[in-house]
């Protein structure tokens, strides 16, 4: 995947990764000048540090660069399924900050009902899922 043209959109954390668009308008993760992969599937793990930024600020920064919406729903579903509390907590924070629930409702319902999760995390998911069909 090296040598392809791509356009940087937003830095991912502080480790040199960048979320960008390739020539086909696909979201890609880039390390230096090397495209590491399309920002989907297993590669979503590389995007998790984006959740450390408030969704409104990050979405505004991306919208200032491009009209395409990044794979936020996929990232949130991936984060909500993470086995520890950190990434699901940040994903719920995005939803509490106003990110639309529609595309991730099922994943929030799974967190709400998962007795292996901490009670505070499950209660946050419960509050977000109120009125939703789970």
């Amino acid at each position: 995947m090296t040598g392809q043209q791509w356009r940087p959109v937003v830095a991912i954390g502080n480790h040199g990764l960048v979320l960008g668009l390739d020539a086909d308008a696909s979201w890609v993760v880039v390390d230096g000048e090397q495209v590491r992969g399309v920002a989907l599937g297993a590669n979503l793990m590389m995007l998790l540090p984006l959740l450390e930024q408030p969704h409104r600020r990050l979405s505004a920064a991306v919208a200032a660069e491009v009209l395409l919406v990044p794979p936020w729903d996929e990232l949130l579903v991936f984060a909500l399924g993470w086995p520890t509390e950190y990434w699901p907590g940040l994903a719920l924070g995005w939803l509490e900050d106003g990110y639309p629930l529609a595309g991730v409702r099922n994943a929030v319902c799974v967190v709400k009902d998962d007795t292996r999760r901490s009670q505070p995390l499950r209660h946050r998911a419960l509050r977000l899922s109120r009125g939703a069909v789970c």
Side-chain angles (χ1 to χ4, degrees), residues 27-114:
W27 290 101
V28 292
V29 177
V30 181
D31 185 359
E33 288 298 317
Q34 181 179 2
V35 175
R36 300 222 2 222
V38 176
L40 293 172
N43 292 334
L44 287 170
M45 184 168 47
M46 292 186 280
L47 300 182
L48 287 171
L50 289 171
L51 296 176
E52 294 174 328
Q53 299 180 46
H55 114 73
R56 290 174 195 240
R57 182 175 56 182
L58 181 62
S59 293
V62 170
E65 292 292 324
V66 294
L67 296 176
L68 295 173
V69 177
W72 296 150
D73 283 357
E74 294 87 347
L75 176 59
L76 290 174
V77 168
F78 184 77
L80 288 165
W82 198 261
T84 63
E85 301 284 307
Y86 185 70
W87 299 119
L90 290 178
L92 292 175
W94 269 38
L95 294 163
E96 292 163 343
D97 191 33
Y99 186 85
L101 179 65
V104 299
R105 179 176 288 118
N106 290 341
V108 171
C109 290
V110 168
V111 172
K112 169 187 72 82
D113 296 330
D114 187 350

